[in-house]
Amino acid sequence: MSEADLQALLITLQLAGVTTVILLLIGTPLAWWLAHARGRWLPAVEALVSLPLILPPTVVGFYLLVALAPQGPVGRVVEALGGPRLAFSFAGMVIGSVIYSLPFVVQPLQNAFRAIGPRPLEVAATLRAGPVDRFLSVALPLARHGFLTATVLGFAHTVGEFGVVLMIGGNIPGETQVLSIAIYDHVEALDYASAHKLSAGLLLLSFLVLLLLQRAGRSGGTRS
Amino acid sequence: MSLKVDLTLSRGEFRLQAAFAVNEPGITAVFGPSGCGKTTLLRAIAGLERAARGTVRVDGEIWQDGDRRQPVHRRALGFVFQEASLFEHLSVHDNLRYGWCRLPAQERRIELEEIIDLLGLEPLLQRHPRGLSGGERQRVAIGRALATSPRLLLMDEPLAALDAARKAEILPYLERLHRHLKMPVLHVTHSTDEVARLADRVLLMEQGGIVHHGPVEELLPIISGEAGEPASLLRGRVVGHHAEDGLLEIAVGPLRLLVPSGPLPKGAELRLRIPARDVSIALDAEAASSILNRLPARVRAIEPESDATCLVRLEVAGQELLARITRRSVRELGLSKGKAAVAQVMSVVLEGIQEGESAAKRSRCDC
């Protein structure tokens, strides 16, 4: 594996790691709210969260680029406040990945929270547990398979991302070049051997992840 | 102990409107047909129904009054749901400890060991809820609720989801519990058996409202009558045992009854459930008869029941005894209100046997 490929691998893992952590932090309260909320805003918010599932990544990337560019509405504010440059940077890629992988984290969590139902939380309340206590001691442990799924899907989906990170990251080797783009570059340069190495690696990784997920789901997913 | 409830709740067509007060410990059965609002009433008292308006006071502590509402977790209550609803991610022991741990040490009036002992949970402690039978799960759920030393125990048909065998397994534990802990309990049920066996008082509900509230001796004839099998409940005390005949002598006021049963401790309090169809009426006690229990009685009222039968309300030692006899017999005996007669009791079901070896047994005896 070449120096550049190794760097692309490291950046990819870093990007996926940071993105997954941020997604779990944002996605947990969001999924909790979606699982319990009622009202006319709910369908709109749900549609918004699910949007990246069907939108071409280049569309998301394009709008993000427009927003995060130094002259864009977000980019201008961030830079005025002394923040980092967002377009064509690692920070920008994180923002893009968070938005693009959001449904992959929120939906499993939302389903897991919904599957718990109101009863265990009511029981906990009658046993003197306050709202935060109930969430931590009952909802989180009972939703653990949802968290496993959300983590794995969020991470894997970010690793596999191409369009958004290309648009917003700009494919700068050693800075914003991730694996999926490196593969594309190798193919462009007709270096099929390198492309094979990286592609086969990702293929194997994805398969293993899904295999593990299925086994975890089967071993502890049933509740009577 | 005092519980004062005055709650209303509307949900679509259904409207709950319940006001009652209980001023002594013991078990109050909340009885009524499905959909009459029993469960909703219990949930509203616990604070689980946000739409409920009104007042709930327990021992002078205000749980709810107008806009002031204590959240569920600040109310000193125990709630047993119809399904055990154990925490599947915790062992039996950790389920029991869940509420206990959250209680400040000075508020723990019941020790965990006492609960484990009363409910026979020792062999289950290390097990996982998934591996337990329905009866075992419900026993754990009851223990878990008790571990918070509640001022009020709310039980929402804790036995309804169990088959007859599991029910029989768990009832003795409930009886022991209630005699031991002397905790005020609201016990939702639609089984007259459970009422006769466990309840001290009955709240009779219909269509979201309370239609009767009184001691079980008063209410059992009504609810068993509605179920088509009228019966009465007499309170008695063990006087002695005639080993040679295998008969237990029971005092009901100044009267004595002989009931086939093993020995029970002298002085133990008993309930005698007597189905109305097993009581016949004679005018005098002179004629020889195989019926052992012939009690002097006075006719309180005669209520027609069907074309052929009527229910005669008799006063026996100050308590009420129902007899189902034919209209023809009423006419031939010339029975009328105030007339003296002899009640001939052919079968007695002993309920609520309190302590001792046969505590778990319930004897139905034909005498």
Side-chain angles (χ1 to χ4, degrees):
Chain A
M1 199 183 273
S2 72
E3 176 80 7
D5 284 351
L6 198 63
Q7 250 173 354
L9 174 68
L10 283 177
I11 291 169
T12 305
L13 293 179
Q14 220 176 344
L15 176 66
V18 172
T19 301
T20 306
V21 170
I22 293 176
L23 274 175
L24 286 174
L25 291 177
I26 301 173
T28 305
L30 183 58
W32 181 257
W33 181 78
L34 287 173
H36 294 100
R38 261 166 292 182
R40 49 199 177 123
W41 291 106
L42 186 64
V45 176
E46 269 188 309
L48 209 60
V49 170
S50 311
L51 211 50
L53 286 176
I54 53 161
L55 220 51
T58 40
V59 173
V60 179
F62 171 65
Y63 281 120
L64 275 171
L65 189 60
V66 169
L68 300 184
Q71 306 81 20
V74 179
R76 198 184 308 159
V77 174
V78 171
E79 282 192 26
L81 292 171
R85 185 171 56 94
L86 292 180
F88 307 123
S89 73
F90 184 76
M93 287 205 300
V94 169
I95 294 174
S97 303
V98 163
I99 290 172
Y100 201 62
S101 296
L102 190 63
F104 291 85
V105 171
V106 168
Q107 286 191 349
L109 291 182
Q110 190 183 338
N111 292 337
F113 287 144
R114 219 173 253 162
I116 294 172
R119 181 52 59 76
L121 297 162
E122 286 184 349
V123 172
T126 67
L127 295 170
R128 310 294 165 81
V132 178
D133 189 357
R134 295 202 282 274
F135 179 77
L136 295 175
S137 65
V138 176
L140 282 193
L142 286 179
R144 60 189 184 278
H145 292 290
F147 274 91
L148 183 66
T149 309
T151 306
V152 170
L153 284 184
F155 190 91
H157 189 248
T158 308
V159 167
E161 180 38 38
F162 180 83
V164 174
V165 288
L166 181 62
M167 293 289 268
I168 193 112
N171 193 13
I172 306 165
E175 216 175 305
T176 61
Q177 189 182 61
V178 294
L179 270 188
S180 56
I181 303 174
I183 293 170
Y184 180 75
D185 279 357
H186 287 313
V187 175
E188 284 276 87
L190 297 177
D191 180 1
Y192 277 33
S194 299
H196 265 309
K197 242 186 266 170
L198 296 183
S199 299
L202 276 183
L203 186 72
L204 198 66
L205 182 75
S206 307
F207 179 73
L208 284 177
V209 159
L210 289 177
L211 194 68
L212 281 176
L213 208 59
Q214 294 234 329
R215 289 189 52 171
R218 198 162 303 153
S219 69
T222 49
R223 280 194 289 136
S224 53
Chain B
M1 152 64 199
S2 76
L3 166 67
K4 199 169 175 303
V5 174
D6 186 352
L7 286 170
T8 58
L9 182 151
S10 295
R11 195 192 289 136
E13 293 284 285
F14 176 77
R15 186 169 161 77
L16 173 79
Q17 184 153 34
F20 66 94
V22 176
N23 290 313
E24 58 262 52
I27 303 174
T28 304
V30 182
F31 186 90
S34 303
C36 71
K38 306 183 295 279
T39 296
T40 310
L41 172 66
L42 225 62
R43 290 175 55 86
I45 293 171
L48 291 167
E49 294 288 343
R50 285 165 173 272
R53 299 278 168 267
T55 320
V56 181
R57 279 172 206 241
V58 175
D59 286 344
E61 203 176 278
I62 296 170
W63 283 4
Q64 184 168 347
D65 189 8
D67 294 333
R68 280 200 294 166
R69 277 174 71 99
Q70 291 277 15
V72 182
H73 67 277
R74 298 247 171 76
R75 304 183 182 199
L77 58 87
F79 203 113
V80 180
F81 294 85
Q82 188 170 331
E83 318 78 33
S85 313
L86 299 181
F87 295 132
E88 302 288 338
H89 61 294
L90 299 176
S91 70
V92 167
H93 196 219
D94 288 339
N95 264 282
L96 289 172
R97 287 172 49 84
Y98 188 92
W100 195 79
C101 289
R102 284 163 172 78
L103 202 66
Q106 69 270 17
E107 287 178 34
R108 291 179 191 152
R109 286 175 289 113
I110 310 171
E111 285 306 314
L112 218 47
E113 286 71 34
E114 194 183 349
I115 293 166
I116 292 169
D117 194 41
L118 270 174
L119 289 164
L121 296 174
E122 186 68 48
L124 309 178
L125 288 181
Q126 302 313 319
R127 304 257 304 270
H128 195 273
R130 228 174 285 159
L132 303 183
S133 75
E136 289 168 336
R137 292 170 68 87
Q138 201 54 283
R139 249 154 68 203
V140 175
I142 293 167
R144 182 176 64 174
L146 287 172
T148 60
S149 303
R151 286 174 193 278
L152 174 66
L153 184 60
L154 302 167
M155 304 183 97
D156 184 11
E157 304 206 42
L159 306 180
L162 306 177
D163 58 40
R166 299 278 154 260
K167 247 180 234 184
E169 164 199 319
I170 209 167
L171 265 164
Y173 287 109
L174 279 186
E175 282 173 338
R176 259 169 84 184
L177 214 71
H178 292 320
R179 305 303 160 211
H180 245 82
L181 300 175
K182 307 235 182 292
M183 189 180 287
V185 180
L186 289 185
H187 182 113
V188 167
T189 177
H190 57 241
S191 141
T192 36
D193 273 358
E194 277 173 42
V195 172
R197 186 147 176 200
L198 295 171
D200 299 305
R201 282 173 305 279
V202 181
L203 268 179
L204 185 55
M205 289 187 73
E206 242 168 58
Q207 295 177 353
I210 293 170
V211 288
H212 280 294
H213 179 201
V216 63
E217 303 91 296
E218 235 171 71
L219 273 286
L220 189 76
I222 299 174
I223 62 177
S224 57
E226 281 174 6
E229 268 308 326
S232 15
L233 203 64
L234 300 182
R235 285 182 186 270
R237 206 167 25 78
V238 175
V239 179
H241 189 252
H242 301 271
E244 67 282 9
D245 299 325
L247 292 173
L248 194 67
E249 188 173 341
I250 300 164
V252 174
L255 305 175
R256 295 284 187 274
L257 271 77
L258 292 170
V259 177
S261 161
L264 284 174
K266 225 179 199 168
E269 287 183 13
L270 292 176
R271 298 158 170 222
L272 295 82
R273 177 150 60 120
I274 302 172
R277 63 178 150 78
D278 288 342
V279 178
S280 64
I281 297 176
L283 285 184
D284 59 65
E286 294 310 307
S289 164
S290 68
I291 293 169
L292 282 174
N293 297 308
R294 307 162 89 192
L295 312 169
R298 191 164 291 279
V299 177
R300 272 185 180 166
I302 301 170
E303 295 165 5
E305 196 188 33
S306 69
D307 286 348
T309 61
C310 50
L311 269 186
V312 180
R313 297 184 181 280
L314 299 164
E315 186 181 321
V316 171
Q319 305 186 43
E320 186 167 273
L321 183 66
L322 294 182
R324 177 193 272 164
I325 59 175
T326 59
R327 290 183 170 208
R328 184 187 175 115
S329 309
V330 170
R331 194 174 63 235
E332 287 182 353
L333 292 174
L335 293 179
S336 61
K337 193 177 168 192
K339 191 172 171 84
V342 174
Q344 310 189 108
V345 177
M346 286 172 283
S347 87
V348 173
V349 184
L350 297 181
E351 309 267 14
I353 300 168
Q354 294 187 356
E355 288 301 322
E357 277 308 292
S358 41
K361 260 187 251 131
R362 185 161 76 137
S363 50
R364 188 202 155 90
C365 6
D366 297 306
C367 15

